[in-house]
Amino acid sequence: MTGRRDRPPRGDRLIALFLLALVLFNPPLLQAFGAPGFLFDWPALMLYIFGVWLAVIALLALAVERQPRDERPADEGQG
């Protein structure tokens, strides 16, 4: 049994990001923002959904593009 060493470290980050998105888009939390209210003439629910969606995409981009420390070239970061 090899354990967790077979999986790349960023796989754990992607799983955590998926679980975070699952919680943030959970219907009880969405109902909290579904109350009548506006911010800059936009419904609060719409701003919440698009804001969280944007944050999830940005975090996904960081998790995928970021290289683990042991995979970086030796000369990177020096100089």
Side-chain angles (χ1 to χ4, degrees):
M1 185 167 148
T2 57
R4 294 176 43 144
R5 295 178 191 245
D6 293 341
R7 244 186 327 171
R10 73 175 136 204
D12 294 339
R13 291 187 186 114
L14 295 177
I15 291 170
L17 182 58
F18 169 76
L19 293 174
L20 176 67
L22 194 66
V23 168
L24 291 175
F25 287 114
N26 201 4
L29 191 58
L30 290 176
Q31 285 178 351
F33 288 94
F38 291 89
L39 184 64
F40 303 114
D41 291 330
W42 288 74
L45 179 62
M46 185 181 298
L47 289 176
Y48 174 78
I49 289 175
F50 285 118
V52 169
W53 186 22
L54 179 68
V56 167
I57 291 173
L59 289 172
L60 179 64
L62 286 174
V64 170
E65 293 296 324
R66 187 174 177 189
Q67 292 180 353
R69 292 178 191 249
D70 55 347
E71 291 182 11
R72 291 182 185 162
D75 61 338
E76 186 177 312
Q78 297 177 0

